[in-house]
Amino acid sequence: MLLSCLTIIVKWFMGATPESRNTAMFMDAGAIQIVGTTVVALILLLAGTHIIGLYFSIFFFLIFYLRIMGKHTWLLTGILSVATPTFLFFFFEGALVIPLPKGYSEPLFYPLYDLIY
């Protein structure tokens, strides 16, 4: 892998490929905006994990990303935003017995612990 990367870098410096001689912008303004918004949303997801826990952070991230960024219907957004953290909770906490961060929302999970332990 390292040798492949070094070969690509050397070819880029030498201008040996059409891609290395191309002077066009890599991303247009629209792509930069989408990538920037996604990066900010992921940073908020990580910051929210410490405060409100991973499951609620994923819930809010999916609502934002599916509804606002993806313009999907509220039905699909609601189903996926609830089903994904629920599945992840029971998979990690129940099946794998790996607790994930819950932040200040941990007391809300006490009734669910009774179901799996």
Side-chain angles (χ1 to χ4, degrees):
M1 189 71 130
L2 178 63
L3 291 175
S4 296
C5 291
L6 291 174
T7 304
I8 291 169
I9 292 170
V10 168
K11 284 185 174 187
W12 179 75
F13 273 116
M14 294 173 52
T17 63
E19 293 84 4
S20 64
R21 293 186 298 270
N22 190 353
T23 59
M25 285 193 58
F26 179 66
M27 292 192 295
D28 63 354
I32 292 172
Q33 182 181 7
I34 291 171
V35 170
T37 304
T38 302
V39 167
V40 169
L42 287 170
I43 289 170
L44 291 173
L45 172 97
L46 292 174
T49 298
H50 179 68
I51 299 166
I52 61 173
L54 184 65
Y55 303 114
F56 283 103
S57 292
I58 289 173
F59 172 76
F60 291 121
F61 175 79
L62 287 173
I63 288 175
F64 169 76
Y65 211 77
L66 290 171
R67 182 64 188 161
I68 295 171
M69 296 292 291
K71 296 180 177 40
H72 293 284
T73 65
W74 277 112
L75 179 64
L76 178 67
T77 301
I79 290 170
L80 288 176
S81 297
V82 170
T84 301
T86 303
F87 169 77
L88 290 175
F89 174 78
F90 285 108
F91 180 71
F92 279 100
E93 302 278 337
L96 299 178
V97 192
I98 299 173
L100 296 178
K102 292 173 202 67
Y104 293 117
S105 65
E106 182 152 17
L108 299 173
F109 292 91
Y110 292 159
L112 296 174
Y113 291 150
D114 293 336
L115 291 173
I116 50 180
Y117 297 123

Short mmCIF file of all heavy atoms in Angstrom, two decimals, residues 14-69:
data_model
loop_
_atom_site.label_atom_id
_atom_site.label_comp_id
_atom_site.label_asym_id
_atom_site.label_seq_id
_atom_site.Cartn_x
_atom_site.Cartn_y
_atom_site.Cartn_z
N MET A 14 5.88 14.18 -11.40
CA MET A 14 6.48 14.13 -12.74
C MET A 14 5.48 14.54 -13.83
O MET A 14 5.89 14.82 -14.96
CB MET A 14 7.00 12.71 -13.03
CG MET A 14 8.16 12.30 -12.14
SD MET A 14 8.64 10.57 -12.34
CE MET A 14 8.84 10.44 -14.09
N GLY A 15 4.19 14.58 -13.49
CA GLY A 15 3.17 14.90 -14.49
C GLY A 15 3.02 13.78 -15.51
O GLY A 15 2.76 14.04 -16.69
N ALA A 16 3.16 12.56 -15.06
CA ALA A 16 3.18 11.41 -15.96
C ALA A 16 1.79 10.94 -16.38
O ALA A 16 1.67 10.16 -17.32
CB ALA A 16 3.93 10.25 -15.31
N THR A 17 0.74 11.38 -15.71
CA THR A 17 -0.62 10.94 -16.04
C THR A 17 -1.47 12.15 -16.44
O THR A 17 -1.19 13.28 -16.03
CB THR A 17 -1.26 10.24 -14.84
OG1 THR A 17 -1.38 11.17 -13.76
CG2 THR A 17 -0.45 9.03 -14.39
N PRO A 18 -2.54 11.92 -17.20
CA PRO A 18 -3.41 13.04 -17.56
C PRO A 18 -4.02 13.72 -16.33
O PRO A 18 -4.20 14.94 -16.31
CB PRO A 18 -4.50 12.40 -18.43
CG PRO A 18 -3.91 11.13 -18.91
CD PRO A 18 -2.92 10.69 -17.88
N GLU A 19 -4.32 12.93 -15.31
CA GLU A 19 -4.91 13.49 -14.09
C GLU A 19 -3.93 14.44 -13.39
O GLU A 19 -4.34 15.44 -12.80
CB GLU A 19 -5.32 12.37 -13.13
CG GLU A 19 -6.47 11.52 -13.62
CD GLU A 19 -6.02 10.40 -14.55
OE1 GLU A 19 -4.80 10.23 -14.76
OE2 GLU A 19 -6.90 9.70 -15.07
N SER A 20 -2.65 14.13 -13.43
CA SER A 20 -1.67 14.98 -12.74
C SER A 20 -1.41 16.28 -13.49
O SER A 20 -0.93 17.24 -12.91
CB SER A 20 -0.36 14.21 -12.54
OG SER A 20 0.23 13.90 -13.79
N ARG A 21 -1.75 16.32 -14.77
CA ARG A 21 -1.58 17.55 -15.55
C ARG A 21 -2.84 18.40 -15.59
O ARG A 21 -2.82 19.52 -16.08
CB ARG A 21 -1.15 17.19 -16.98
CG ARG A 21 0.24 16.57 -17.05
CD ARG A 21 0.68 16.36 -18.48
NE ARG A 21 -0.17 15.44 -19.23
CZ ARG A 21 0.00 14.11 -19.30
NH1 ARG A 21 1.01 13.56 -18.64
NH2 ARG A 21 -0.81 13.36 -20.01
N ASN A 22 -3.92 17.88 -15.09
CA ASN A 22 -5.20 18.58 -15.11
C ASN A 22 -5.18 19.75 -14.13
O ASN A 22 -4.81 19.60 -12.97
CB ASN A 22 -6.33 17.61 -14.76
CG ASN A 22 -7.70 18.20 -14.98
OD1 ASN A 22 -7.84 19.37 -15.29
ND2 ASN A 22 -8.70 17.35 -14.84
N THR A 23 -5.59 20.92 -14.58
CA THR A 23 -5.59 22.11 -13.71
C THR A 23 -6.99 22.51 -13.27
O THR A 23 -7.15 23.54 -12.61
CB THR A 23 -4.93 23.30 -14.44
OG1 THR A 23 -5.64 23.56 -15.64
CG2 THR A 23 -3.47 23.00 -14.74
N ALA A 24 -7.99 21.73 -13.64
CA ALA A 24 -9.36 22.06 -13.25
C ALA A 24 -9.53 21.86 -11.75
O ALA A 24 -8.82 21.07 -11.11
CB ALA A 24 -10.34 21.15 -14.00
N MET A 25 -10.51 22.59 -11.17
CA MET A 25 -10.78 22.44 -9.74
C MET A 25 -11.27 21.03 -9.44
O MET A 25 -12.02 20.45 -10.23
CB MET A 25 -11.82 23.46 -9.29
CG MET A 25 -11.29 24.86 -9.16
SD MET A 25 -12.42 25.94 -8.27
CE MET A 25 -12.60 25.12 -6.73
N PHE A 26 -10.85 20.52 -8.33
CA PHE A 26 -11.25 19.16 -7.92
C PHE A 26 -12.73 19.11 -7.57
O PHE A 26 -13.44 18.18 -7.91
CB PHE A 26 -10.39 18.70 -6.75
CG PHE A 26 -10.73 17.33 -6.25
CD1 PHE A 26 -10.51 16.22 -7.04
CD2 PHE A 26 -11.28 17.15 -5.00
CE1 PHE A 26 -10.81 14.95 -6.60
CE2 PHE A 26 -11.59 15.89 -4.54
CZ PHE A 26 -11.35 14.78 -5.34
N MET A 27 -13.21 20.14 -6.85
CA MET A 27 -14.62 20.21 -6.44
C MET A 27 -15.15 21.59 -6.77
O MET A 27 -14.46 22.59 -6.58
CB MET A 27 -14.77 19.97 -4.94
CG MET A 27 -14.45 18.57 -4.50
SD MET A 27 -14.96 18.21 -2.80
CE MET A 27 -13.92 19.30 -1.87
N ASP A 28 -16.41 21.63 -7.21
CA ASP A 28 -17.03 22.93 -7.44
C ASP A 28 -17.61 23.47 -6.13
O ASP A 28 -17.54 22.81 -5.09
CB ASP A 28 -18.10 22.84 -8.54
CG ASP A 28 -19.25 21.92 -8.16
OD1 ASP A 28 -19.18 21.27 -7.11
OD2 ASP A 28 -20.24 21.88 -8.93
N ALA A 29 -18.18 24.66 -6.18
CA ALA A 29 -18.68 25.31 -4.95
C ALA A 29 -19.78 24.50 -4.29
O ALA A 29 -19.86 24.42 -3.06
CB ALA A 29 -19.16 26.72 -5.27
N GLY A 30 -20.65 23.87 -5.08
CA GLY A 30 -21.74 23.06 -4.52
C GLY A 30 -21.22 21.85 -3.75
O GLY A 30 -21.71 21.53 -2.67
N ALA A 31 -20.21 21.20 -4.31
CA ALA A 31 -19.63 20.04 -3.64
C ALA A 31 -18.92 20.45 -2.35
O ALA A 31 -19.01 19.74 -1.34
CB ALA A 31 -18.66 19.32 -4.57
N ILE A 32 -18.23 21.58 -2.39
CA ILE A 32 -17.56 22.08 -1.18
C ILE A 32 -18.57 22.38 -0.09
O ILE A 32 -18.35 22.08 1.08
CB ILE A 32 -16.69 23.30 -1.52
CG1 ILE A 32 -15.51 22.88 -2.39
CG2 ILE A 32 -16.21 24.00 -0.26
CD1 ILE A 32 -14.70 24.02 -2.94
N GLN A 33 -19.72 22.94 -0.48
CA GLN A 33 -20.76 23.25 0.51
C GLN A 33 -21.33 21.97 1.12
O GLN A 33 -21.52 21.90 2.34
CB GLN A 33 -21.88 24.06 -0.14
CG GLN A 33 -22.97 24.45 0.83
CD GLN A 33 -24.08 25.24 0.16
OE1 GLN A 33 -24.11 25.38 -1.05
NE2 GLN A 33 -24.99 25.74 0.96
N ILE A 34 -21.58 20.96 0.31
CA ILE A 34 -22.12 19.70 0.83
C ILE A 34 -21.11 19.02 1.75
O ILE A 34 -21.47 18.55 2.84
CB ILE A 34 -22.51 18.77 -0.33
CG1 ILE A 34 -23.73 19.33 -1.06
CG2 ILE A 34 -22.79 17.36 0.16
CD1 ILE A 34 -24.08 18.63 -2.35
N VAL A 35 -19.86 18.97 1.34
CA VAL A 35 -18.82 18.35 2.17
C VAL A 35 -18.65 19.14 3.47
O VAL A 35 -18.54 18.56 4.55
CB VAL A 35 -17.49 18.24 1.40
CG1 VAL A 35 -16.36 17.82 2.31
CG2 VAL A 35 -17.63 17.25 0.26
N GLY A 36 -18.64 20.46 3.38
CA GLY A 36 -18.50 21.29 4.58
C GLY A 36 -19.64 21.09 5.55
O GLY A 36 -19.44 20.98 6.77
N THR A 37 -20.87 21.05 5.03
CA THR A 37 -22.04 20.83 5.89
C THR A 37 -21.97 19.46 6.55
O THR A 37 -22.29 19.31 7.73
CB THR A 37 -23.33 20.94 5.05
OG1 THR A 37 -23.35 22.22 4.41
CG2 THR A 37 -24.56 20.81 5.91
N THR A 38 -21.54 18.45 5.80
CA THR A 38 -21.41 17.11 6.35
C THR A 38 -20.35 17.06 7.45
O THR A 38 -20.56 16.44 8.49
CB THR A 38 -21.07 16.11 5.24
OG1 THR A 38 -22.11 16.16 4.24
CG2 THR A 38 -20.95 14.71 5.78
N VAL A 39 -19.23 17.73 7.23
CA VAL A 39 -18.17 17.76 8.24
C VAL A 39 -18.66 18.43 9.52
O VAL A 39 -18.44 17.93 10.62
CB VAL A 39 -16.91 18.46 7.68
CG1 VAL A 39 -15.92 18.78 8.78
CG2 VAL A 39 -16.26 17.61 6.61
N VAL A 40 -19.37 19.55 9.39
CA VAL A 40 -19.91 20.24 10.57
C VAL A 40 -20.92 19.34 11.28
O VAL A 40 -20.91 19.24 12.52
CB VAL A 40 -20.54 21.60 10.17
CG1 VAL A 40 -21.33 22.19 11.31
CG2 VAL A 40 -19.47 22.56 9.70
N ALA A 41 -21.78 18.67 10.52
CA ALA A 41 -22.76 17.77 11.13
C ALA A 41 -22.09 16.62 11.87
O ALA A 41 -22.51 16.23 12.96
CB ALA A 41 -23.71 17.22 10.06
N LEU A 42 -21.01 16.08 11.31
CA LEU A 42 -20.29 15.00 11.99
C LEU A 42 -19.57 15.49 13.24
O LEU A 42 -19.51 14.77 14.25
CB LEU A 42 -19.30 14.34 11.03
CG LEU A 42 -19.93 13.47 9.95
CD1 LEU A 42 -18.89 13.06 8.91
CD2 LEU A 42 -20.58 12.26 10.56
N ILE A 43 -19.05 16.71 13.20
CA ILE A 43 -18.42 17.29 14.39
C ILE A 43 -19.46 17.46 15.49
O ILE A 43 -19.20 17.16 16.66
CB ILE A 43 -17.71 18.61 14.05
CG1 ILE A 43 -16.46 18.32 13.21
CG2 ILE A 43 -17.35 19.38 15.31
CD1 ILE A 43 -15.81 19.55 12.62
N LEU A 44 -20.65 17.93 15.11
CA LEU A 44 -21.73 18.07 16.10
C LEU A 44 -22.17 16.70 16.63
O LEU A 44 -22.51 16.58 17.80
CB LEU A 44 -22.91 18.82 15.49
CG LEU A 44 -22.66 20.29 15.21
CD1 LEU A 44 -23.85 20.90 14.46
CD2 LEU A 44 -22.40 21.06 16.50
N LEU A 45 -22.17 15.69 15.77
CA LEU A 45 -22.48 14.33 16.22
C LEU A 45 -21.49 13.88 17.28
O LEU A 45 -21.88 13.35 18.33
CB LEU A 45 -22.46 13.36 15.03
CG LEU A 45 -22.59 11.89 15.39
CD1 LEU A 45 -24.04 11.45 15.25
CD2 LEU A 45 -21.71 11.04 14.53
N LEU A 46 -20.21 14.11 17.03
CA LEU A 46 -19.19 13.71 18.00
C LEU A 46 -19.28 14.52 19.28
O LEU A 46 -19.13 13.98 20.38
CB LEU A 46 -17.80 13.84 17.38
CG LEU A 46 -17.50 12.87 16.24
CD1 LEU A 46 -16.15 13.19 15.61
CD2 LEU A 46 -17.54 11.44 16.73
N ALA A 47 -19.52 15.82 19.17
CA ALA A 47 -19.66 16.65 20.36
C ALA A 47 -20.90 16.26 21.15
O ALA A 47 -20.89 16.21 22.38
CB ALA A 47 -19.70 18.13 19.97
N GLY A 48 -21.98 15.97 20.44
CA GLY A 48 -23.21 15.56 21.10
C GLY A 48 -23.10 14.22 21.79
O GLY A 48 -23.79 13.96 22.78
N THR A 49 -22.23 13.36 21.30
CA THR A 49 -22.02 12.06 21.92
C THR A 49 -21.59 12.21 23.37
O THR A 49 -22.03 11.46 24.24
CB THR A 49 -20.98 11.25 21.12
OG1 THR A 49 -21.49 11.04 19.81
CG2 THR A 49 -20.69 9.92 21.77
N HIS A 50 -20.75 13.17 23.63
CA HIS A 50 -20.27 13.39 25.00
C HIS A 50 -21.38 13.93 25.90
O HIS A 50 -21.42 13.60 27.08
CB HIS A 50 -19.09 14.37 24.97
CG HIS A 50 -18.54 14.68 26.31
ND1 HIS A 50 -17.86 13.75 27.07
CD2 HIS A 50 -18.57 15.80 27.06
CE1 HIS A 50 -17.51 14.30 28.22
NE2 HIS A 50 -17.92 15.54 28.23
N ILE A 51 -22.27 14.72 25.34
CA ILE A 51 -23.29 15.39 26.16
C ILE A 51 -24.57 14.57 26.26
O ILE A 51 -25.03 14.26 27.36
CB ILE A 51 -23.60 16.79 25.58
CG1 ILE A 51 -22.32 17.63 25.60
CG2 ILE A 51 -24.70 17.48 26.37
CD1 ILE A 51 -22.39 18.88 24.78
N ILE A 52 -25.16 14.22 25.11
CA ILE A 52 -26.45 13.52 25.13
C ILE A 52 -26.33 12.04 24.78
O ILE A 52 -27.34 11.35 24.74
CB ILE A 52 -27.47 14.19 24.19
CG1 ILE A 52 -26.98 14.18 22.74
CG2 ILE A 52 -27.81 15.58 24.66
CD1 ILE A 52 -28.00 14.67 21.73
N GLY A 53 -25.14 11.57 24.51
CA GLY A 53 -24.95 10.16 24.22
C GLY A 53 -24.97 9.87 22.73
O GLY A 53 -25.49 10.65 21.92
N LEU A 54 -24.42 8.73 22.38
CA LEU A 54 -24.30 8.35 20.98
C LEU A 54 -25.65 8.10 20.33
O LEU A 54 -25.89 8.50 19.19
CB LEU A 54 -23.42 7.10 20.85
CG LEU A 54 -23.14 6.65 19.43
CD1 LEU A 54 -22.31 7.69 18.70
CD2 LEU A 54 -22.43 5.33 19.42
N TYR A 55 -26.56 7.45 21.04
CA TYR A 55 -27.83 7.06 20.43
C TYR A 55 -28.67 8.28 20.07
O TYR A 55 -29.26 8.33 18.99
CB TYR A 55 -28.59 6.11 21.34
CG TYR A 55 -27.78 4.89 21.68
CD1 TYR A 55 -27.34 4.64 22.97
CD2 TYR A 55 -27.41 4.00 20.68
CE1 TYR A 55 -26.58 3.53 23.26
CE2 TYR A 55 -26.65 2.88 20.96
CZ TYR A 55 -26.23 2.65 22.26
OH TYR A 55 -25.46 1.55 22.54
N PHE A 56 -28.75 9.27 20.95
CA PHE A 56 -29.51 10.47 20.63
C PHE A 56 -28.78 11.33 19.60
O PHE A 56 -29.41 11.98 18.77
CB PHE A 56 -29.81 11.28 21.90
CG PHE A 56 -30.91 10.69 22.72
CD1 PHE A 56 -30.64 9.97 23.86
CD2 PHE A 56 -32.23 10.82 22.32
CE1 PHE A 56 -31.65 9.41 24.61
CE2 PHE A 56 -33.26 10.26 23.06
CZ PHE A 56 -32.97 9.56 24.21
N SER A 57 -27.47 11.32 19.63
CA SER A 57 -26.71 12.05 18.62
C SER A 57 -26.95 11.47 17.23
O SER A 57 -27.13 12.22 16.26
CB SER A 57 -25.21 12.02 18.94
OG SER A 57 -24.94 12.75 20.09
N ILE A 58 -26.95 10.15 17.14
CA ILE A 58 -27.24 9.51 15.86
C ILE A 58 -28.66 9.83 15.40
O ILE A 58 -28.91 10.10 14.22
CB ILE A 58 -27.02 7.99 15.95
CG1 ILE A 58 -25.54 7.67 16.07
CG2 ILE A 58 -27.61 7.26 14.74
CD1 ILE A 58 -25.23 6.22 16.33
N PHE A 59 -29.59 9.82 16.33
CA PHE A 59 -30.99 10.16 16.03
C PHE A 59 -31.08 11.54 15.40
O PHE A 59 -31.67 11.72 14.32
CB PHE A 59 -31.82 10.07 17.32
CG PHE A 59 -33.22 10.57 17.18
CD1 PHE A 59 -34.18 9.81 16.55
CD2 PHE A 59 -33.58 11.81 17.70
CE1 PHE A 59 -35.49 10.27 16.43
CE2 PHE A 59 -34.87 12.28 17.59
CZ PHE A 59 -35.83 11.51 16.96
N PHE A 60 -30.49 12.55 16.04
CA PHE A 60 -30.56 13.91 15.50
C PHE A 60 -29.76 14.07 14.22
O PHE A 60 -30.17 14.79 13.30
CB PHE A 60 -30.10 14.93 16.55
CG PHE A 60 -31.05 15.06 17.70
CD1 PHE A 60 -30.63 14.80 18.99
CD2 PHE A 60 -32.37 15.42 17.50
CE1 PHE A 60 -31.50 14.90 20.06
CE2 PHE A 60 -33.25 15.53 18.55
CZ PHE A 60 -32.82 15.27 19.83
N PHE A 61 -28.62 13.38 14.11
CA PHE A 61 -27.84 13.44 12.88
C PHE A 61 -28.63 12.87 11.71
O PHE A 61 -28.64 13.45 10.62
CB PHE A 61 -26.53 12.66 13.06
CG PHE A 61 -25.72 12.57 11.79
CD1 PHE A 61 -24.95 13.63 11.37
CD2 PHE A 61 -25.75 11.41 11.02
CE1 PHE A 61 -24.20 13.55 10.20
CE2 PHE A 61 -25.01 11.32 9.86
CZ PHE A 61 -24.24 12.40 9.44
N LEU A 62 -29.30 11.74 11.92
CA LEU A 62 -30.07 11.15 10.84
C LEU A 62 -31.25 12.02 10.44
O LEU A 62 -31.57 12.12 9.24
CB LEU A 62 -30.54 9.75 11.23
CG LEU A 62 -29.46 8.68 11.24
CD1 LEU A 62 -30.01 7.37 11.81
CD2 LEU A 62 -28.90 8.47 9.86
N ILE A 63 -31.90 12.64 11.41
CA ILE A 63 -32.99 13.57 11.05
C ILE A 63 -32.45 14.68 10.17
O ILE A 63 -33.02 15.00 9.12
CB ILE A 63 -33.66 14.14 12.32
CG1 ILE A 63 -34.50 13.07 12.99
CG2 ILE A 63 -34.53 15.35 11.96
CD1 ILE A 63 -35.10 13.47 14.29
N PHE A 64 -31.35 15.29 10.58
CA PHE A 64 -30.76 16.37 9.78
C PHE A 64 -30.33 15.87 8.41
O PHE A 64 -30.66 16.47 7.38
CB PHE A 64 -29.56 16.98 10.51
CG PHE A 64 -28.75 17.90 9.64
CD1 PHE A 64 -29.22 19.17 9.35
CD2 PHE A 64 -27.54 17.49 9.10
CE1 PHE A 64 -28.48 20.02 8.54
CE2 PHE A 64 -26.81 18.32 8.30
CZ PHE A 64 -27.27 19.59 8.01
N TYR A 65 -29.60 14.77 8.39
CA TYR A 65 -29.00 14.33 7.13
C TYR A 65 -30.04 13.78 6.15
O TYR A 65 -29.97 14.04 4.96
CB TYR A 65 -27.90 13.30 7.39
CG TYR A 65 -26.82 13.38 6.35
CD1 TYR A 65 -25.87 14.38 6.40
CD2 TYR A 65 -26.76 12.48 5.30
CE1 TYR A 65 -24.88 14.48 5.44
CE2 TYR A 65 -25.78 12.57 4.34
CZ TYR A 65 -24.84 13.57 4.42
OH TYR A 65 -23.87 13.68 3.46
N LEU A 66 -31.00 13.02 6.65
CA LEU A 66 -32.00 12.44 5.76
C LEU A 66 -33.01 13.49 5.30
O LEU A 66 -33.33 13.57 4.11
CB LEU A 66 -32.73 11.29 6.44
CG LEU A 66 -31.92 10.02 6.66
CD1 LEU A 66 -32.68 9.05 7.54
CD2 LEU A 66 -31.57 9.38 5.33
N ARG A 67 -33.52 14.29 6.23
CA ARG A 67 -34.59 15.23 5.88
C ARG A 67 -34.05 16.49 5.22
O ARG A 67 -34.55 16.92 4.17
CB ARG A 67 -35.41 15.59 7.13
CG ARG A 67 -36.55 16.51 6.87
CD ARG A 67 -37.57 15.86 5.96
NE ARG A 67 -38.57 16.86 5.59
CZ ARG A 67 -39.36 16.76 4.57
NH1 ARG A 67 -39.33 15.70 3.80
NH2 ARG A 67 -40.22 17.70 4.29
N ILE A 68 -33.05 17.11 5.81
CA ILE A 68 -32.58 18.41 5.31
C ILE A 68 -31.61 18.23 4.15
O ILE A 68 -31.77 18.84 3.10
CB ILE A 68 -31.97 19.23 6.45
CG1 ILE A 68 -33.07 19.57 7.45
CG2 ILE A 68 -31.32 20.50 5.92
CD1 ILE A 68 -32.62 20.18 8.72
N MET A 69 -30.61 17.38 4.33
CA MET A 69 -29.63 17.20 3.26
C MET A 69 -30.18 16.31 2.13
O MET A 69 -30.01 16.62 0.97
CB MET A 69 -28.34 16.58 3.82
CG MET A 69 -27.60 17.45 4.81
SD MET A 69 -26.88 18.91 4.08
CE MET A 69 -25.61 18.20 3.07
#
